[in-house]
Amino acid sequence: SNVPGRRRTLSQDGCSESSEGNLQDEEFKRSRLHFVKFETKHITNLTHYIKDCMGDDANVVAGRTIRVTGGGAYKYTELFEKVLGLTIIKEDEMGCLIKGSNFLLNNIPNDTSKTSAKPPTLPLTL
């Protein structure tokens, strides 16, 4: 989704002897990537919900191709092809994770990521 954002920057005037500079506000549109978790026992309902939400635009996606990863790529291919009319291409999950991470690191400026500082619960051996 796209949400409004505001960035405040400090610009230094090369001719000024003041070290304070000028604060400037810049408004921009920021995109967010949302991950939604749902139980796979409801995947049939999900596909029908997606089709219902698309209404008359459901024919727009028919025949389109999407790339998917993981076990569900194999388990639910027929369902997505039948209900939504999509063509499914199965991709390697780890390869996509690495390519996606590289894309985000190289293309999203000022990105913030959050991780847990908790130590792993299982003993790790190398």
Side-chain angles (χ1 to χ4, degrees):
S1 64
N2 290 324
V3 295
R6 178 174 286 178
R7 181 179 307 147
R8 177 168 279 188
T9 57
L10 177 66
S11 63
Q12 295 286 340
D13 183 1
C15 299
S16 172
E17 293 182 12
S18 168
S19 61
E20 293 180 18
N22 298 318
L23 286 176
Q24 296 177 346
D25 286 336
E26 173 189 357
E27 292 187 16
F28 62 96
K29 290 274 185 185
R30 151 186 8 212
S31 296
R32 289 188 180 169
L33 181 61
H34 301 274
F35 293 93
V36 178
K37 179 181 175 182
F38 63 91
E39 295 182 48
T40 55
K41 68 182 180 182
H42 301 296
I43 197 155
T44 302
N45 293 339
L46 172 72
T47 57
H48 290 289
Y49 174 75
I50 292 170
K51 187 172 183 175
D52 291 344
C53 287
M54 293 171 51
D56 294 334
D57 294 330
N59 293 329
V60 173
V61 297
R64 299 261 179 143
T65 301
I66 62 169
R67 298 174 183 275
V68 295
T69 64
Y74 295 90
K75 191 172 182 179
Y76 301 110
T77 294
E78 186 177 322
L79 176 66
F80 277 87
E81 289 177 341
K82 180 181 169 189
V83 175
L84 299 174
L86 295 168
T87 300
I88 305 295
I89 296 177
K90 299 163 190 83
E91 297 282 352
D92 174 62
E93 194 166 7
M94 188 57 69
C96 288
L97 178 65
I98 292 168
K99 288 177 186 176
S101 296
N102 283 335
F103 174 83
L104 292 174
L105 289 170
N106 291 314
N107 293 290
I108 309 296
N110 305 318
D111 183 39
T112 302
S113 299
K114 182 178 178 181
T115 59
S116 174
K118 294 179 184 176
T121 56
L122 299 175
L124 299 175
T125 57
L126 300 176

